[in-house]
Coordinates of all heavy atoms in Angstrom, one line a residue:
T1 N 60.7 27.8 43.4 CA 59.5 27.8 44.2 C 58.5 28.8 43.6 O 58.9 29.9 43.0 CB 59.7 28.2 45.6 OG1 58.6 28.1 46.5 CG2 60.3 29.6 45.8
K2 N 57.2 28.4 43.6 CA 56.2 29.2 43.1 C 55.7 30.2 44.2 O 55.5 29.8 45.3 CB 55.0 28.4 42.6 CG 53.8 29.2 42.0 CD 52.7 28.2 41.7 CE 51.5 29.1 41.2 NZ 50.4 28.2 40.9
P3 N 55.5 31.5 43.8 CA 55.0 32.4 44.9 C 53.5 32.3 45.1 O 52.8 31.8 44.3 CB 55.2 33.9 44.2 CG 55.1 33.5 42.7 CD 55.7 32.2 42.6
T4 N 53.1 32.7 46.2 CA 51.6 32.6 46.7 C 51.0 34.0 46.5 O 51.4 34.9 47.3 CB 51.4 32.1 48.1 OG1 52.1 30.8 48.2 CG2 50.0 32.0 48.4
A5 N 50.2 34.3 45.6 CA 49.7 35.6 45.2 C 48.9 36.2 46.5 O 49.1 37.4 46.7 CB 48.7 35.5 44.0
A6 N 48.2 35.4 47.3 CA 47.5 36.0 48.3 C 48.4 36.3 49.5 O 47.9 37.1 50.4 CB 46.4 34.9 48.8
N7 N 49.6 35.8 49.5 CA 50.4 36.2 50.7 C 51.6 37.1 50.3 O 52.5 36.7 49.5 CB 51.2 34.9 51.2 CG 51.9 35.1 52.6 OD1 52.5 36.2 52.7 ND2 51.7 34.2 53.5
K8 N 51.4 38.5 50.5 CA 52.2 39.5 49.9 C 53.8 39.3 50.4 O 54.6 39.9 49.9 CB 51.6 40.8 50.2 CG 50.3 41.0 49.6 CD 50.2 40.7 48.2 CE 48.8 40.9 47.5 NZ 48.7 40.6 46.1
S9 N 53.9 38.7 51.6 CA 55.2 38.6 52.2 C 55.9 37.3 51.9 O 57.0 37.1 52.2 CB 55.1 38.6 53.7 OG 54.6 37.4 54.2
C10 N 55.4 36.4 50.9 CA 56.0 35.2 50.6 C 57.3 35.3 49.9 O 58.2 34.5 50.2 CB 55.0 34.4 49.7 SG 54.9 34.8 48.0
Y11 N 57.5 36.3 49.1 CA 58.8 36.6 48.4 C 59.8 36.7 49.4 O 60.9 35.9 49.4 CB 58.8 37.7 47.5 CG 57.9 37.5 46.2 CD1 56.6 37.7 46.2 CD2 58.6 37.1 45.0 CE1 55.8 37.5 45.1 CE2 57.8 36.9 43.9 CZ 56.5 37.2 43.9 OH 55.7 36.9 42.7
Q12 N 59.7 37.6 50.3 CA 60.8 37.8 51.4 C 60.8 36.7 52.3 O 61.9 36.2 52.7 CB 60.5 39.1 52.1 CG 61.6 39.6 53.0 CD 62.9 39.8 52.2 OE1 62.9 40.6 51.2 NE2 64.1 39.3 52.5
G13 N 59.6 36.1 52.6 CA 59.7 35.0 53.6 C 60.4 33.8 53.0 O 61.2 33.1 53.8
K14 N 60.1 33.4 51.7 CA 60.8 32.3 51.2 C 62.3 32.5 51.2 O 63.1 31.6 51.4 CB 60.2 32.0 49.8 CG 58.8 31.4 49.9 CD 58.2 31.3 48.4 CE 57.0 30.6 48.4 NZ 57.1 29.1 48.3
S15 N 62.7 33.7 50.8 CA 64.2 34.1 50.6 C 64.8 34.0 52.0 O 65.9 33.3 52.1 CB 64.3 35.4 50.0 OG 65.7 35.8 49.9
D16 N 64.2 34.6 53.0 CA 64.8 34.5 54.4 C 64.8 33.1 54.9 O 65.8 32.7 55.5 CB 64.0 35.4 55.3 CG 64.1 36.9 55.0 OD1 65.0 37.3 54.2 OD2 63.2 37.7 55.5
W17 N 63.9 32.4 54.6 CA 63.9 31.0 55.1 C 65.0 30.2 54.5 O 65.7 29.4 55.2 CB 62.5 30.3 54.7 CG 62.2 28.9 55.5 CD1 61.6 28.9 56.7 CD2 62.6 27.8 55.0 NE1 61.5 27.5 56.9 CE2 62.1 26.8 56.0 CE3 63.3 27.2 53.8 CZ2 62.4 25.5 55.8 CZ3 63.5 25.9 53.8 CH2 63.0 24.9 54.7
I18 N 65.2 30.3 53.3 CA 66.3 29.5 52.6 C 67.7 30.0 53.3 O 68.6 29.2 53.4 CB 66.4 29.8 51.0 CG1 65.1 29.0 50.4 CG2 67.6 29.3 50.4 CD1 65.2 27.5 50.5
A19 N 67.8 31.4 53.4 CA 69.1 31.8 53.9 C 69.4 31.2 55.3 O 70.5 31.0 55.7 CB 69.0 33.4 54.0
E20 N 68.3 31.0 56.2 CA 68.5 30.5 57.5 C 68.7 29.0 57.6 O 69.7 28.5 58.2 CB 67.2 30.8 58.2 CG 67.3 30.3 59.7 CD 66.0 30.6 60.5 OE1 65.1 31.2 59.9 OE2 66.0 30.0 61.6
H21 N 68.0 28.3 56.7 CA 68.1 26.8 56.8 C 68.9 26.1 55.7 O 69.5 25.0 56.0 CB 66.7 26.3 56.8 CG 65.8 26.8 57.9 ND1 66.0 26.4 59.1 CD2 64.7 27.6 57.8 CE1 65.0 27.0 59.9 NE2 64.3 27.7 59.1
F22 N 69.1 26.8 54.6 CA 70.0 26.1 53.5 C 70.8 27.3 52.9 O 70.7 27.8 51.7 CB 69.0 25.6 52.4 CG 68.3 24.4 52.9 CD1 67.0 24.6 53.5 CD2 68.7 23.1 52.7 CE1 66.2 23.5 53.9 CE2 68.0 22.1 53.1 CZ 66.7 22.2 53.7
P23 N 71.8 27.7 53.6 CA 72.6 28.9 53.3 C 73.3 28.7 51.9 O 73.5 29.7 51.3 CB 73.5 29.1 54.5 CG 73.5 27.9 55.2 CD 72.1 27.3 55.1
S24 N 73.7 27.5 51.6 CA 74.4 27.2 50.4 C 73.6 27.5 49.2 O 74.1 27.6 48.1 CB 75.0 25.8 50.3 OG 73.9 24.9 50.2
L25 N 72.2 27.5 49.3 CA 71.3 27.8 48.3 C 70.7 29.2 48.3 O 69.8 29.4 47.3 CB 70.2 26.7 48.3 CG 70.7 25.2 48.4 CD1 69.4 24.3 48.5 CD2 71.3 24.9 47.0
H26 N 71.1 30.0 49.1 CA 70.4 31.2 49.3 C 70.7 32.2 48.0 O 69.8 32.9 47.5 CB 71.0 32.1 50.4 CG 70.3 33.4 50.6 ND1 70.9 34.6 50.9 CD2 68.8 33.7 50.6 CE1 69.9 35.6 51.1 NE2 68.8 35.1 50.8

């Protein structure tokens, strides 16, 4: 996934989201 430069929380947000919804891919 590509980060969004304007959203400083996107790195953590994307990682947390994958962990919650697709744990096998975290």
Side-chain angles (χ1 to χ4, degrees):
T1 186
K2 181 182 176 181
T4 303
N7 188 320
K8 303 304 181 183
S9 69
C10 78
Y11 287 83
Q12 192 62 53
K14 285 172 176 278
S15 178
D16 290 346
W17 191 93
I18 290 293
E20 178 180 356
H21 299 290
F22 295 87
S24 68
L25 301 177
H26 186 227

